Amino acid sequence: MPLPPKLFGREEYLKKVVQVILDNQSSRLAILGPGGIGKTSLALAAIHDERVKEKFGELRFWIPCEQGKSPSLFLEVFAGSLGLPSTSAGDRKSDVFGKLASFKQLLVFLFDNFETPWNIEGCQSEVGHLLARIASFPTVSIILTMRGEERPMPDRIGWTRLPSLKQLALGPAREAFLATCPEAAEDAKLDQLIEALDCVPLAIVLMARLAEEGESPSGLLKRWKLERTRLLDRAGADRENSIEVSIRICLDRPAIRCDPDAIPLLSVISMLPGGAAEARLPQICPSIPNWRRPLRLLRRAALVYDSLDKTFIRVLSPIQSFIHLHHLPDADRRRDLREAYFKIAGKGRVLSGDPDFLNVVQELRLEETNIEAILLDALDDVCENSESAINASVCFTHYLRWGTPRSDVIINATKIAKRLLCEKQGECLLEYGKILSLQRQNYMARLILEEAHRCFVAFNNQIGAARCLLSLTEPLLALEEADKARQNLEQAQMAYATLGDPVGVAMCSHALAQVSNSQLRYECAQLQLITAIADFTALGSKYMIARCKEVLGHVLLNLKCYDESRSVLEEAISDFIALELRGDKAICQITLGQVFLKLDNMVAARTSLEDARTLFYEERDLRGVASCLKWLGVLFKHLDQYELAVDHLQNSVELFSTFGSSATADLAHSIFELGSVRFKRGLLDEARTLFVDAREAYESMTYAYGVAQCQESLGILLREEGKFDLARSAFKLSKMKFRESGNLVESARSLINFGIISMSEKEYDLAIKDFAEACEVLTNYPSDDTLTISAKKLLEDAKSLLRVEQNRGSHNSMGIQQIPYSQGQRTLSVEATNLGVPHQADLASMFEFSSVGRSDCAMVATVVRHPRR
C-alpha cells in the first residue's frame, strides 16, 4: 500500500470519512469527483489514520483497479491483494469469496480508480455484481475512489453519501504547489497560474514539478493558456480536460521535449497495465537502445513511478489514459512489444516436472496481467501476426491451467481462428475446453471439447483428435458417462499407438485407470496403472509416475489392500516432494489419512490429514483445506468425539459453500457425514434433515450414487423409528439408484436391509426372496466377503424361520420371543434360542455399516483433484 500523501485543504472532509469508518462495523464509502481531484490521496490518508489502523490492524488492503481492464483481471488484482497466489486451481471467484469468508476480524478495502473496471464496455453488470458480493460480507468495509458522480450498484450497496470531492481553495492549492517548488513563492503570477489550473491537485503537482525544473510560473501560465484554448476547441470544456492539460504540459517540458525517446518509451510502458520490468526493457523496446536516460527523465517528471518492491515501472492511470488517446506506440514499436510478450507467453507450454517448470511459472506469474493485456490488444487488431497471437494465446492458456484458469484470451483467440478458418481453432477450442473442465463447467467443457475434436478431424489432425478424446475424460466422468469416457480413451490410445506416440498411449492408460476406478473395476484399474507406470518410467516422466502412484493408492484403498496402498502413497509423496509440488503432496496425504483410518491408526491418520491441511493453507488452497476438515470430521466421528466431528464438518460445509456448484459433491458429502454424526448421537430429526439436504444436493448434480447413499441412510433411520413401510420405500429407491450408478454390490446391501424389515414383520417368504437376490448379486460381483457371508447367513435364517412358522403354525405357542426393534437396542424380531435358530441381534447390528455412520470405499476414494494436467 502506498504511503499516505500530505494533504492540503482536505482536513474536514478527511474527518468525515474517518468518522464514518469508525462509527460503523462495515462502512461503504465512495469518494467521487473528476480525475486528478485528489480522491486517492484522501482515501490513502483515511486508511492510514491511526484510529483506522487501530480498528483494522494489518487487514487494510489497497486494490489498484487501474490494472483491472477486464472482469477477470479486476478479480485477479483483488485476489492478489488478499495474498492469493495464481497457483490455486479451480474457479477464481470461489478462491476470493472463500478467503473473505475465512476472515473473522474486521477488514477494509480501498478500491482505487474503480472507474477502470466499471467502465469496461458490456461488463458493468459483471463487475458491479462482484463488488456487491464483496460488500455483502458483514466484516468488510469498502472505500472506493472513482471518477464521476455515479455510485456503483446503489440498489445493492448501501453507500454512505458524502458530497463529491471538489477542487481546492486557493490557499491550500498554493501550499501544495510550494511544497514541491518553494522557489515559486516569489513569482507574482503564481496565484493566477493556480487559479488557471482550477486548483485541481494533480495539475498543481505536475505544474509545480515543471517549475522545479526551471520554468517560471509566469512562463507556464502563458503556455497553459495557449494549450488550454486549443484543447477545449477539440475536446470540450469539462474538468477532466484540466488533467490532460497538465499531462500535456508535463510531456512538453524541455527535458522531455528534447529527448526523442522519452514519449515513445512512455507510450510502450503505458501499454502494460502491470508495469514494465526494468530488466525487460531491452527486449520490449529494442528500438530504444539507450533507454536509461529517457526513463530517468520520465521518473523525474512523475510520469512513471516504481512499484513498492522496485520490480516494475508503472504509469498512473490518468497519464496512461492520456497516452493511449494521443501517443500510442507506432506500428514498429507495437510489433516489437507484442513479439516480446508472445515469446514470454510461449513458455506456457512447459509441463510440470520439467527442469525449468518452477522458474517459468514464476516468470509468467509476474507478467500475467501484461501478457493478458497484450494478447487481448493483439487479438482485437487482426493483422499479419494473427497466427502468432493465436499461438501465444494457446500457450498462455495452457499455463493458466497451473494458476488461475481464465478464458478471456482463449475465447478471443478462438473467434479469430474461426474467422481465419485455420487449423488453430482446434487448438483454441481444446485449451478452452480444458479451462472449462478446471472450472467444473463440465457440460460446457464437453460441448467445446467435442467441437474441438470435430475440428481436428476435419483438418485430418489425428493427434489433435486423440488429445480431445483424452481431455474429455474428466467432464464425462463428472457427468457419470464413464462408458463413453472409456470408449473415447480406447479410441485415443489406438490412435496414439498407430502414430507412434508413447506418451499419449501412457496418458490414456492412466486415464483408463481413473475410469475403471469410477466404475468400481478396481483390479482392472490396478493393471492399467501398473502398465502406465512402466510406460512413464521408460519415458522418464517423473511427474506422471507420481500421478499414477497417487491413483494406484486410491485403487488399492478400494481393494482393501491397505498396507500396499500406504506404501504406494508414501512413494508418491516422496516423488512430489522431490518435484517441489506441495499441492500434489497434500492431495496424497489426504488419501493416506483415509488409509490410516481403515488401518485403525487414528494417530497417524490425524497427523497426515493435519499436515495436508497445513500445506493447503500455505498454498492458499481453501478447497483443499475444506477436504481436510471433512476427513478430520470423519476421523473424530469414528473416535466418538462428536463435538470435534461436528465442528470440523460444519467448517467444511461453510468453506465448500463458497465454491458454488463446482463443489456440490464435496458439500453434499460433508452434510451427509454431519447427518451420520447426528444419527449416532440419537438425534434422528436432525439427522433426517441433513440426509434430505445431502440427497437434494446430489440430485441437483444427478449423482445417482450419492442419492442412493442418502436414501439408504434415511431407510435405516426410518427402520430405527419402526416406520417400516417408509423404510421399504427408501430402500427400494436406494437399490434403484445404486444400480443406476453401476454399483451392484451396494444394491445388494439395500436388498439385505429390505429383507431385514421383512424378517422383523415375519414376512419370511419376502425376506428369502430379497436375501437370495442379494446373494446372487454378491456371488456374481464379489467385493465384500463379510457382506456375502452375512447375506447367506440371513438367507438360511429366514428359511429356518419360515419352516418353523409353516410347521408349528404359531410362533407364540412354540415359545417364540418377539424382541422389539427399538432405538436403544437396534434389534429385530427374532426367534428364541430354544427353537434352534441363531439370535439375529448381532446380525442386525452388522447392517449399521450400511450408509449411516459409514464412509464407503467408493466415497473415500474420490478425493477431488484439480484436473489441470
Side-chain angles (χ1 to χ4, degrees), residues 473-506:
T473 303
E474 294 285 351
L476 288 173
L477 288 180
L479 295 169
E480 296 195 53
E481 295 190 41
D483 289 336
K484 178 65 175 175
R486 179 179 297 280
Q487 179 184 345
N488 285 347
L489 288 169
E490 289 171 348
Q491 182 181 341
Q493 192 168 46
M494 187 179 299
Y496 280 128
T498 301
L499 296 167
D501 186 339
V503 175
V505 172

Side-chain angles (χ1 to χ4, degrees), residues 322-395:
F322 178 87
I323 297 298
H324 284 174
L325 286 172
H326 302 289
H327 295 285
L328 277 175
D330 61 32
D332 290 339
R333 290 193 175 94
R334 205 164 184 176
R335 184 180 60 251
D336 291 341
L337 179 64
R338 287 174 177 176
E339 288 178 355
Y341 275 91
F342 289 171
K343 185 175 180 180
I344 298 169
K347 298 179 181 181
R349 275 293 190 188
V350 68
L351 298 175
S352 178
D354 289 356
D356 293 333
F357 173 74
L358 295 175
N359 291 333
V360 168
V361 169
Q362 180 64 21
E363 178 183 2
L364 292 179
R365 189 177 301 153
L366 291 173
E367 292 281 8
E368 198 170 299
T369 302
N370 291 334
I371 295 171
E372 186 160 3
I374 294 299
L375 290 176
L376 289 171
D377 178 66
L379 293 167
D380 284 341
D381 178 20
V382 181
C383 56
E384 70 277 1
N385 64 350
S386 293
E387 189 164 339
S388 297
I390 293 170
N391 286 334
S393 299
V394 168
C395 295

Side-chain angles (χ1 to χ4, degrees), residues 272-451:
L272 303 171
E278 186 168 339
R280 208 182 288 283
L281 286 178
Q283 288 78 48
I284 65 178
C285 299
S287 63
I288 309 176
N290 300 317
W291 50 268
R292 287 184 174 83
R293 173 177 168 76
L295 179 59
R296 184 167 59 252
L297 294 173
L298 293 173
R299 279 178 170 143
R300 290 179 64 183
L303 290 166
V304 300
Y305 68 97
D306 293 326
S307 60
L308 291 178
D309 59 4
K310 306 295 184 182
T311 306
F312 286 89
I313 305 155
R314 291 178 174 154
V315 181
L316 290 170
S317 180
I319 301 172
Q320 189 180 62
S321 300
F322 178 87
I323 297 298
H324 284 174
L325 286 172
H326 302 289
H327 295 285
L328 277 175
D330 61 32
D332 290 339
R333 290 193 175 94
R334 205 164 184 176
R335 184 180 60 251
D336 291 341
L337 179 64
R338 287 174 177 176
E339 288 178 355
Y341 275 91
F342 289 171
K343 185 175 180 180
I344 298 169
K347 298 179 181 181
R349 275 293 190 188
V350 68
L351 298 175
S352 178
D354 289 356
D356 293 333
F357 173 74
L358 295 175
N359 291 333
V360 168
V361 169
Q362 180 64 21
E363 178 183 2
L364 292 179
R365 189 177 301 153
L366 291 173
E367 292 281 8
E368 198 170 299
T369 302
N370 291 334
I371 295 171
E372 186 160 3
I374 294 299
L375 290 176
L376 289 171
D377 178 66
L379 293 167
D380 284 341
D381 178 20
V382 181
C383 56
E384 70 277 1
N385 64 350
S386 293
E387 189 164 339
S388 297
I390 293 170
N391 286 334
S393 299
V394 168
C395 295
F396 178 63
T397 305
H398 183 86
Y399 151 75
L400 289 176
R401 290 159 51 196
W402 297 95
T404 304
R406 300 193 300 277
S407 56
D408 304 48
V409 168
I410 201 63
I411 289 174
N412 283 18
T414 303
K415 292 177 182 177
I416 301 299
K418 287 184 175 181
R419 192 184 313 166
L420 298 175
L421 298 176
C422 67
E423 186 176 348
K424 289 296 178 182
Q425 61 184 293
E427 292 284 349
C428 293
L429 288 166
L430 176 57
E431 291 298 333
Y432 182 28
K434 290 177 179 178
I435 290 292
L436 289 170
S437 180
L438 279 167
Q439 294 173 339
R440 306 297 197 276
Q441 299 184 47
N442 296 303
Y443 181 73
M444 279 300 299
R446 174 184 179 173
L447 294 179
I448 295 298
L449 289 169
E450 288 175 345
E451 183 182 354

Side-chain angles (χ1 to χ4, degrees), residues 59 193 305 370 375 396 430 544 558 579 769 771 783 814:
L59 298 180
L193 174 61
Y305 68 97
N370 291 334
L375 290 176
F396 178 63
L430 176 57
M544 284 309 302
N558 289 332
L579 293 168
K769 179 182 177 183
F771 293 144
S783 77
M814 298 304 298

Side-chain angles (χ1 to χ4, degrees), residues 242 537 713:
S242 64
T537 300
S713 297

